Amino acid sequence: MRITGEGVAMRVLLTGGAGYIGSNVLASLRDAGHSVTAVVRNANAQRAVALAGVQPLGGDIGDSRWLVEVLREHDGAIHAAAAHTRSGVASDHAFANAVATAFAGTSKPFVHTSSVWVYGSGSAIVDAAPTLLESPWAWRMGVHQYLQDRGVSVMTITPGMVYGQGRGLPNVLIAHAAVSRSGVVKLIGDGTQRWMSVHVEDLADLYLRVFTEGQPGRYYLGVAPQADTALELMRAATRTAGIDCSLRPGDEFDALARFGDELGAGLLLDQTPHPIQRGWDELAWVPAAPSLLEEITFGKYPNGPCRTVRLRGRYLSVSAIGVGCPMAAARRDVVGRHSPTPHSHATGQERTSTGPGPPAHVTQGTGQRVPRCGSDVRGPSLARASLLLPPWHRP
């Protein structure tokens, strides 16, 4: 009989527990009352996991014999340290072999991690098994079928671009927006492609729900309903970085040269989710965090004027100077609303600053100064904001 998470403390083996996604999955499992063992490979990861209140287990997941014995001591496993590039295929397959040996013929759940890019471009992507066999990410699809054929209760989550907590893709966008000293920033592709994304804490909640309530053999789409265009996100990134740039379309060759074959090809995909996902309905999973566009514009990023924090299951938006920040859309779990305070406005060629922002470097129009592309600019200090937060949320 499948063990559920309702009042039952399950023994969960977690990989990647000190990583970006895995550390948030660890927190979700821990807060739900499950007993988590996090496999780690070095002392720093052990300390991070221990500080999170979870038992670290030093070991190498490439040691199949050891891993099989460890898996058998647990009620299920989540592989949040799955390979992100083709170079990690061998380790993923070795891990799958150990899972097959330990879990085959049982009801123990195993949650694997893939990527939404396995679906390729599409305007209404659903959480079915991907069928795009010839793509830079086809190697990601073998583990799920392999384990299913061997009688493992496998479920695979395909996350979109993960963001939040000042980490993930927005940092790449903001850094990219600040590199040009010619006054022009080249977009990734033509900028019209839409990117599916998910806040890391919403994603962690999905992992918990899939692990405890998911249907074996299923894929689950880990994305928010909103998909923003690369142009919208890059425009927000330049504003967040505090620089005044002209945005120009790029091309496929430029994207691949800058970001590599797999990441570059993924950033060129045009993807939007279907509004109805059976997995979301079955698990009652509703992403509650601010969108990627909102996070870049007002969120918790090094050059941004505001940061978003989660406290007692609710999202609070706090500015660097200790006042509230606007969010674009009302959400059921968002509190701390304040009247919108615009950070800048422009009239014709003039641009003035009306809120907290980075130092201005170039004089324009009315005498107000704004930064240019390539300026080494940073947002205001977050020290005052950190004083408003409990210690575990401080930077």
Side-chain angles (χ1 to χ4, degrees):
M1 180 178 67
R2 172 76 180 277
I3 301 175
T4 70
E6 298 177 0
V8 178
M10 301 175 69
R11 295 168 300 170
V12 188
L13 186 71
L14 173 69
T15 68
Y20 181 33
I21 296 175
S23 61
N24 283 273
V25 175
L26 180 152
S28 289
L29 291 166
R30 178 202 62 204
D31 293 348
H34 299 294
S35 176
V36 184
T37 302
V39 179
V40 293
R41 290 186 292 182
N42 57 61
N44 289 336
Q46 285 186 345
R47 284 192 292 270
V49 167
L51 286 173
V54 167
Q55 177 65 42
L57 177 63
D60 181 5
I61 60 175
D63 183 346
S64 296
R65 183 174 298 179
W66 170 81
L67 182 59
V68 168
E69 294 305 315
V70 172
L71 285 165
R72 284 175 172 160
E73 296 171 356
H74 292 78
D75 299 319
I78 297 176
H79 191 24
H84 297 292
T85 63
R86 191 183 299 272
S87 61
V89 172
S91 64
D92 255 14
H93 287 178
F95 192 90
N97 285 330
V99 171
T101 302
F103 287 177
T106 74
S107 61
K108 293 182 177 182
F110 173 67
V111 180
H112 187 58
T113 303
S114 183
S115 166
V116 77
W117 289 343
V118 299
Y119 293 101
S121 291
S123 59
I125 294 173
V126 297
D127 53 4
T131 58
L132 192 63
L133 299 180
E134 293 187 9
S135 75
W137 316 279
W139 59 270
R140 289 180 177 269
M141 298 188 289
V143 169
H144 182 99
Q145 190 63 50
Y146 171 81
L147 291 174
Q148 191 173 6
D149 291 344
R150 281 154 184 77
V152 176
S153 296
V154 59
M155 295 156 286
T156 295
I157 295 177
T158 56
M161 297 180 184
V162 185
Y163 66 94
Q165 302 176 345
R167 303 171 69 181
L169 176 69
N171 285 323
V172 177
L173 296 177
I174 292 170
H176 174 61
V179 298
S180 172
R181 295 187 180 276
S182 63
V184 175
V185 167
K186 187 177 289 186
L187 295 169
I188 302 169
D190 62 11
T192 62
Q193 73 272 29
R194 292 187 176 272
W195 291 338
M196 297 198 295
S197 58
V198 63
H199 193 284
V200 68
E201 291 171 9
D202 284 331
L203 180 61
D205 179 53
L206 179 61
Y207 272 89
L208 172 64
R209 292 170 187 261
V210 169
F211 182 77
T212 57
E213 306 170 40
Q215 298 299 312
R218 288 284 307 278
Y219 277 81
Y220 291 90
L221 202 62
V223 302
Q226 176 179 338
D228 303 302
T229 67
L231 175 60
E232 292 169 332
L233 295 170
M234 188 60 74
R235 184 180 290 128
T238 59
R239 291 172 179 168
T240 297
I243 54 180
D244 183 32
C245 300
S246 297
L247 301 176
R248 295 290 182 268
D251 55 42
E252 176 182 355
F253 301 104
D254 176 68
L256 296 178
R258 281 187 287 163
F259 298 101
D261 290 345
E262 291 186 48
L263 177 58
L267 294 173
L268 291 169
L269 292 177
D270 183 12
Q271 298 183 309
T272 55
H274 193 282
I276 299 176
Q277 303 284 338
R278 60 178 181 173
W280 299 353
D281 292 340
E282 291 171 1
L283 302 177
W285 181 66
V286 180
S291 71
L292 173 55
L293 183 60
E294 290 168 337
E295 276 281 286
I296 293 178
T297 305
F298 302 116
K300 183 182 174 183
Y301 284 91
N303 290 329
C306 312
R307 60 172 49 200
T308 302
V309 298
R310 190 174 187 179
L311 181 60
R312 296 177 182 174
R314 297 178 181 271
Y315 286 92
L316 301 175
S317 189
V318 183
S319 84
I321 60 171
V323 298
C325 292
M327 283 290 173
R331 296 174 184 274
R332 62 179 178 82
D333 285 342
V334 181
V335 298
R337 286 288 184 261
H338 302 271
S339 299
T341 303
H343 292 271
S344 66
H345 67 266
T347 304
Q349 298 299 314
E350 300 177 355
R351 173 170 169 165
T352 61
S353 175
T354 59
H361 289 191
V362 177
T363 302
Q364 281 189 351
T366 61
Q368 296 289 336
R369 295 180 301 155
V370 297
R372 280 288 188 187
C373 287
S375 300
D376 182 17
V377 297
R378 293 189 178 276
S381 170
L382 290 167
R384 290 187 61 189
S386 68
L387 296 178
L388 303 176
L389 309 176
W392 56 89
H393 278 303
R394 293 179 186 171

